[in-house]
Amino acid sequence: MTIDFTVNGKSVSLNIDPETPLLEVLRNDLELNGPKFGCGLAQCGACSVLLEGRSTRTCVTPVSAVNGMKITTLEGLGNEDHPHPLQLAFIEEQALQCGYCVNSMIISAAALLQSNPNPGNDEIKQALAGNLCRCGAQPRILRAIKRAAAASGGNGS
Ligand code: FES
Ligand code: FES
C-alpha cells in the first residue's frame, strides 16, 4: 500500500505494510532518530512526534493512520544553527541526565506552548504527565520549559 505524508516539511511516499509502526518508519526508513523506542506500549512518550500539531506516540500508531497528514519530529523543530527555543532552553538549563526522555518532553512542551504560550507550573506538569523520566530531571525540565516560554514572549511565571 502506498502511504503519503509530510515530515518536517518534506513530502514522503512509501510503499509499505500499512500496519508498520510509524516509529519504525521514521527511524529505519527516514533516518529520523529524535523519536526513541522506549516501552513500545504508549506508556513512556519517548517515541512522540507532533502529528498535525498534537503530541502523538508513534510506537502504537500504524503508518496508515498518518496518510495525508503532517508530522514534525524533534529534528523538524530546529537544528544546531537555528534551535527551537525549547531546544535552546534545555541546553541552557542542562535539563537532562541520560537524555532518553528529552524527545518526549520537548515534543509535548512544543504542543503545549502552541496552545498556551505562557503556561503555569501545573499546566506544564499536566502536559508532561504521561512522559516518563527515570533520572529525576523533572525540576530542570520544568525550568527549561518556563525559560523557553519566556524567550518566546510569555513571561515564564
Ligand atoms: S516507546 Fe512509545 S510510548 Fe514508550
Ligand atoms: S533524563 Fe534520563 S529519563 Fe529523563
Side-chain angles (χ1 to χ4, degrees), residues 4 16 28 41 43 59 61 73 91 93 102 106 124 133 137 143 154:
D4 301 299
I16 193 166
N28 297 353
L41 298 167
Q43 291 179 357
C59 66
T61 303
T73 69
I91 293 167
E93 293 288 347
V102 167
I106 290 183
I124 296 172
C133 174
R143 280 204 301 275

Side-chain angles (χ1 to χ4, degrees), residues 13-146:
S13 184
L14 294 173
N15 193 358
I16 193 166
D17 178 347
E19 293 304 315
T20 309
L22 178 58
L23 179 61
E24 203 176 303
V25 174
L26 293 171
R27 290 182 59 87
N28 297 353
D29 295 285
L30 305 179
E31 299 183 349
L32 293 166
N33 295 318
K36 302 283 184 280
F37 184 88
C39 64
L41 298 167
Q43 291 179 357
C44 73
C47 61
S48 299
V49 300
L50 294 173
L51 179 60
E52 300 288 342
R54 296 179 57 171
S55 181
T56 301
R57 297 184 174 199
T58 59
C59 66
V60 292
T61 303
V63 67
S64 58
V66 304
N67 200 25
M69 300 179 87
K70 286 187 188 150
I71 294 167
T72 304
T73 69
L74 189 65
E75 293 90 340
L77 287 180
N79 56 40
E80 275 185 46
D81 292 335
H82 300 286
H84 187 280
L86 280 163
Q87 292 168 325
L88 200 54
F90 268 65
I91 293 167
E92 288 167 342
E93 293 288 347
Q94 291 289 287
L96 70 155
Q97 195 164 315
C98 79
Y100 214 79
C101 67
V102 167
N103 177 67
S104 70
M105 300 299 183
I106 290 183
I107 291 291
S108 293
L112 173 66
L113 295 184
Q114 276 172 18
S115 61
N116 181 358
N118 187 25
N121 285 352
D122 289 347
E123 290 167 312
I124 296 172
K125 286 179 188 170
Q126 193 178 356
L128 303 186
N131 296 340
L132 302 186
C133 174
R134 295 155 56 110
C135 296
Q138 291 93 340
R140 282 178 281 159
I141 291 168
L142 190 66
R143 280 204 301 275
I145 294 170
K146 293 178 77 167

